[in-house]
Amino acid sequence: MTTQRRVDEVSRSRLEALGLDYRLVTDDDAAIDAWCAACARGFHDVAPEAEDSRREIRRERARAQRVLGAWKASQEGEPIATVCSWPMELTIAPGRSLSMWGISGVTVAPTHSGKGIARAMLEGELRSAAAEGYAIAGLTVSESTLYGRYGFGISAQSSILRFDTTRVNWCGPTPDVELDFITVAEAVEVLQRLHSKQARATRCDVVREATFWRLVTGVETPNDATVRSRRFVLATSPAGDELGIVGYRLDGFDDDDFTKHRLIVDVLVAPDIDGRAALWRYVLSQPLVRSVKTEQLVAPDDPIRWWIGDWRGVQERRTDHHWTRVLDVVRVLEACAYSAPDRLVLEIEDDLGFAEGMYLLDTRDQQPVVTRCDGATPGVAHIKLDVSTLASLVFGCFSAESLGAAAQLEGDDASVRCAGSLFQTGREPFLSTWF
């Protein structure tokens, strides 16, 4: 699917009433540069340099997306609000995917906060996604309090890990794997190949575009100090098959003790368990290193905890990460995989109307079937929930039982157990990157 480059007229009218000109900037390099500067400002990042070597790749990414900004009427320069979106391949279940409307770069200048600008833009993105036939939208968040009001729900969590290498005693597998250093240029292509394979096997992950890996690796900025300090190691099987890749750097040491370096893992992608084990073992056994920290996101159920001997040798910071918004209930539910043959009525509330209604889910045949219904179906389990909770339930991020205990869905005990048995299917969902 593609993302049409047009502005939602309802949002345009609402922003015009606030004295703002809401328009596309995709094909205008000067406007793209101004948009990028405003976006950086919104996330408290440094302003891009005029001759930044990454400018062209930022422009390339923007031209492939649907980039919008809101300017004060009759003014140019940096917009006071930004948003962008593009199609992404979202894994609903291993081997099953949907085209997702990915939303990013949502900022409003603090000089103009509290005026309803973000609401106008976000609701416009959802209307645009639905009009283009997308069944689901998604985003990653800087604040977890912002997006539930638009029907987004937590669909995947992620973790950042910090290891004390004095307590790590490798007790995991030691597979027959070859490890070799590769160049940054080689890493870009390897990362795209291996991550695409990994993402398609992981619920709630997305396949990333080539420009993303060029930015992550820093191949466009070879003279940057961080890029020059980064090393990439490729894991291969005895037959030469690519099993995984890690990118890492060393971040200083104690002035009085050269053995106390900190190793930072910027990216680790390994769809193969042997590759994952070999690369984790490699970074945790580096000489002259006292601690290892992951800048990259780690799955909440990554097996590394079982491989280090001492669970207290690692500190974890877990947080909500991927928030999704169901727009077409029938298509999303029919794309899911289920762990039991059963029937369930889902009564969904949606203040914006996209998913509002009652739906009968039937998983008794190989292909699940979802139909709209007018009311409760005798003898069939029945739960009531809002659309944000649906986003948490369908990916298995939280069990129906835990959502029921938290009063996030309603139903008798038998109905909640039915929902729990249907939607709990294997490992935890996980989104491995930001967007």
Side-chain angles (χ1 to χ4, degrees):
M1 298 179 70
T2 59
T3 303
Q4 295 297 320
R5 296 176 181 177
R6 57 190 179 198
V7 177
D8 177 73
E9 290 301 323
V10 175
S11 295
R12 189 202 296 272
S13 296
R14 287 167 60 181
L15 291 169
E16 280 182 353
L18 297 173
L20 300 176
D21 179 15
Y22 194 46
R23 62 180 186 264
L24 287 160
V25 298
T26 303
D27 296 318
D28 182 334
D29 283 349
I32 289 173
D33 293 343
W35 187 95
C36 289
C39 190
R41 177 191 64 205
F43 288 106
H44 302 314
D45 201 355
V46 296
E49 296 179 10
E51 299 304 320
D52 187 343
S53 57
R54 289 170 290 189
R55 181 178 60 181
E56 286 306 318
I57 192 172
R58 288 196 300 266
R59 289 175 174 177
E60 181 182 340
R61 291 191 80 194
R63 286 190 286 268
Q65 297 173 354
R66 177 177 174 273
V67 179
L68 298 107
W71 280 260
K72 283 187 176 182
S74 303
Q75 290 190 10
E76 297 301 325
E78 295 178 12
I80 60 95
T82 64
V83 68
C84 65
S85 50
W86 68 98
M88 308 183 82
E89 181 186 337
L90 169 71
T91 301
I92 294 289
R96 299 188 180 201
S97 65
L98 280 175
S99 290
M100 181 182 78
W101 185 277
I103 301 171
S104 187
V106 182
T107 75
V108 177
T111 52
H112 289 71
S113 61
K115 300 179 181 294
I117 297 170
R119 176 171 290 278
M121 294 194 305
L122 262 296
E123 292 182 1
E125 288 302 305
L126 296 178
R127 282 189 294 270
S128 297
E132 297 300 329
Y134 287 80
I136 195 166
L139 44 75
T140 58
V141 304
S142 54
E143 293 184 76
S144 61
T145 58
L146 298 179
Y147 295 99
R149 70 193 71 174
Y150 307 111
F152 289 85
I154 305 170
S155 299
Q157 301 181 86
S158 66
S159 296
I160 297 293
L161 304 180
R162 186 188 298 272
F163 299 87
D164 179 351
T165 58
T166 65
R167 302 184 67 166
V168 170
N169 178 26
W170 186 261
C171 61
T174 55
D176 183 11
V177 171
E178 185 84 15
L179 299 178
D180 292 288
F181 286 105
I182 61 173
T183 67
V184 176
E186 292 170 323
V188 174
E189 296 184 2
V190 173
L191 280 165
Q192 186 167 20
R193 283 195 298 269
L194 290 181
H195 183 267
S196 295
K197 181 179 179 181
Q198 178 179 287
R200 291 186 173 109
T202 306
R203 279 184 301 156
C204 216
D205 210 346
V206 296
V207 176
R208 297 310 307 260
E209 64 280 8
T211 51
F212 173 81
W213 297 113
R214 286 159 59 192
L215 286 170
V216 166
T217 58
V219 70
E220 309 287 334
T221 54
N223 293 322
D224 181 86
T226 297
V227 176
R228 287 189 289 113
S229 68
R230 188 175 292 135
R231 302 290 181 266
F232 289 95
V233 170
L234 175 66
T236 56
S237 72
D241 298 321
E242 296 173 342
L243 303 180
I245 182 174
V246 64
Y248 69 93
R249 54 197 157 92
L250 295 172
D251 183 32
F253 58 91
D254 189 309
D255 289 338
D256 299 319
D257 192 342
F258 193 72
T259 68
K260 294 182 179 179
H261 284 79
R262 182 176 69 158
L263 187 149
I264 297 175
V265 178
D266 289 315
V267 60
L268 192 157
V269 175
D272 182 276
I273 195 66
D274 283 352
R276 181 165 291 272
L279 292 171
W280 272 125
R281 185 180 182 219
Y282 171 79
V283 298
L284 291 173
S285 62
Q286 290 296 296
L288 308 178
V289 169
R290 179 60 59 87
S291 66
V292 173
K293 181 178 183 292
T294 62
E295 288 289 343
Q296 87 134 40
L297 302 165
V298 179
D301 61 353
D302 191 290
I304 183 58
R305 294 163 186 78
W306 298 95
W307 295 343
I308 60 173
D310 183 353
W311 278 58
R312 296 188 183 185
V314 58
Q315 296 178 339
E316 176 183 13
R317 180 172 63 84
R318 182 184 295 202
T319 186
D320 56 282
H321 180 47
H322 196 185
W323 290 62
T324 66
R325 210 294 182 186
V326 176
L327 298 167
D328 186 325
V329 175
V330 173
R331 287 171 56 202
V332 169
L333 292 182
E334 289 188 341
C336 291
Y338 299 94
S339 57
D342 215 327
R343 292 193 296 167
L344 175 68
V345 171
L346 297 94
E347 183 177 351
I348 300 170
E349 298 178 340
D350 183 354
D351 290 342
L352 298 181
F354 298 105
E356 185 81 21
M358 298 181 69
Y359 303 84
L360 174 61
L361 167 64
D362 189 340
T363 66
R364 293 174 298 177
D365 292 330
Q366 185 174 3
Q367 174 61 41
V369 176
V370 181
T371 54
R372 282 186 173 269
C373 54
D374 296 328
T377 302
V380 176
H382 186 127
I383 59 172
K384 183 177 180 180
L385 66 167
D386 67 22
V387 67
S388 62
T389 303
L390 178 67
S392 297
L393 182 66
V394 296
F395 288 100
C397 187
F398 304 104
S399 70
E401 291 84 352
S402 66
L403 292 169
Q408 299 302 298
L409 61 78
E410 301 175 17
D412 59 38
D413 290 345
S415 295
V416 172
R417 285 196 301 271
C418 173
S421 67
L422 285 173
F423 288 101
Q424 286 301 301
T425 53
R427 294 188 60 180
E428 289 193 42
F430 174 57
L431 172 65
S432 55
T433 62
W434 293 90
F435 64 86

